[in-house]
Amino acid sequence: MYIVLLGPPGAGKGTQALTLSKRLGIMHVASGDLFRHNLNKETPLGLEAKTYMERGDLVPNDLTVRMVLHKLKSPECNHEALLDGFPRTIHQAKSLDEALGQENKAIDVVLCLQVSSEKVIQRLSGRWICQDCQSPYHTFNAPPISQGICNHCKGALYQRPDDTETTAANRLGVYMKQTSPLIDYYNNQGKLIEINGEQTVDQVGQDMLASLSRIEKERSVR
Ligand code: ADP
Ligand code: ADP
Ligand code: ZN
């Protein structure tokens, strides 16, 4: 199964991916996490991505596609993935379709989280991330049990440097311009399911699972 999570920065993709990937037993592949990992390790790829990430701009397609496809081909993915933050441009989406097509695979479904711009900015400005397992928290919406410490792995929480108001606003603009055309792209392929991302974390998760089981049922009768 290949599932894509689509939606603006701060929509709740990472939050949902955490539980959904466990529940479905498929690998969570987050392009932003892969870039931050490379940045921390100061790999050539990380250093090349750095300035784009700091500005909240997209890293060039060729670099991004190479990194994500390399991950998808790794044995740990086992020809399945829950994609989060990729694809983000039509070019990336086409490259992904082509690469999966070569293995006689395809994206099964695209879950698109809908959240207003005001809510997204509020979420990003209060976001805290675990430095070890990347779990997201929020000062008000989803505080950790102990302040500054991850519930899952006891790692330290930090605020991303690109979650400041100005950079977040730029990222939202980038999403509208470069990523939102993917909504039509996947809708035309009959793969898009819209999810109301403004509900509680649990309710959003339940809606996603309900949509996935509906698709499975439809397939089994075909
Ligand atoms: P968020 O989920 O908050 O939008 P991400 O962690 O997905 O943020 O991405 C952080 C940054 O990493 C982006 O602003 C961008 O610079 C880079 N990035 C992540 N995924 C992609 C992608 N698919 N294409 C280009 N750049 C990306
Ligand atoms: P994305 O991966 O789409 O950028 P995240 O999952 O990191 O988004 O969530 C952004 C912020 O919003 C985090 O601080 C997270 O705790 C919070 N959040 C996520 N889902 C919800 C929700 N349904 N209601 C309120 N806050 C949420
Ligand atoms: Zn953690």
Side-chain angles (χ1 to χ4, degrees):
M1 187 100 133
Y2 284 99
I3 302 172
V4 171
L5 294 184
L6 194 60
K13 301 181 297 296
T15 300
Q16 296 301 329
L18 206 68
T19 35
L20 201 56
S21 66
K22 275 193 203 125
R23 176 93 184 225
L24 302 173
I26 64 178
M27 193 78 180
H28 172 205
V29 175
S31 45
D33 289 349
L34 294 175
F35 277 129
R36 279 183 291 278
H37 177 77
N38 277 281
L39 204 59
N40 288 341
K41 293 252 178 287
E42 298 187 342
T43 67
L45 185 125
L47 294 175
E48 216 174 319
K50 190 170 190 264
T51 45
Y52 299 99
M53 294 176 74
E54 281 173 351
R55 287 198 299 258
D57 290 336
L58 294 185
V59 178
N61 283 322
D62 54 343
L63 205 66
T64 307
V65 167
R66 226 183 316 132
M67 174 185 74
V68 176
L69 291 186
H70 181 259
K71 181 75 177 179
L72 291 181
K73 283 176 188 149
S74 71
E76 56 181 357
C77 283
N78 194 24
H79 308 285
E80 290 192 300
L82 177 59
L83 284 154
D84 161 8
F86 180 93
R88 253 179 163 95
T89 62
I90 297 281
H91 178 105
Q92 292 177 13
K94 287 184 174 164
S95 303
L96 178 63
D97 283 348
E98 208 179 288
L100 295 181
Q102 283 169 3
E103 317 177 4
N104 280 326
K105 299 265 179 186
I107 289 164
D108 294 279
V109 60
V110 177
L111 300 171
C112 182
L113 280 171
Q114 290 171 316
V115 180
S116 71
S117 301
E118 300 79 59
K119 274 231 160 60
V120 149
I121 296 288
Q122 186 268 352
R123 287 185 183 183
L124 294 176
S125 62
R127 172 159 72 177
W128 291 80
I129 307 269
C130 172
Q131 65 174 18
D132 295 332
C133 76
Q134 323 305 323
S135 295
Y137 294 88
H138 190 280
T139 315
F140 308 113
N141 307 352
I145 295 165
S146 312
Q147 206 190 339
I149 296 169
C150 176
N151 295 350
H152 308 288
C153 78
K154 304 260 178 281
L157 305 185
Y158 76 101
Q159 284 192 294
R160 278 171 44 181
D162 59 343
D163 275 348
T164 58
E165 215 170 301
T166 11
T167 315
N170 183 42
R171 284 158 58 209
L172 201 58
V174 167
Y175 173 82
M176 299 299 180
K177 204 165 156 203
Q178 303 194 59
T179 308
S180 67
L182 290 180
I183 295 174
D184 277 346
Y185 179 83
Y186 287 123
N187 203 14
N188 291 339
Q189 292 187 2
K191 291 181 179 170
L192 192 85
I193 294 182
E194 294 184 335
I195 305 276
N196 174 4
E198 298 199 355
Q199 310 171 91
T200 63
V201 170
D202 284 350
Q203 191 58 55
V204 174
Q206 279 173 32
D207 281 11
M208 286 186 164
L209 284 173
S211 297
L212 292 175
S213 57
R214 204 173 51 239
I215 292 170
E216 255 171 29
K217 258 189 219 136
E218 282 168 12
R219 281 199 187 152
S220 62
V221 294
R222 250 186 245 149

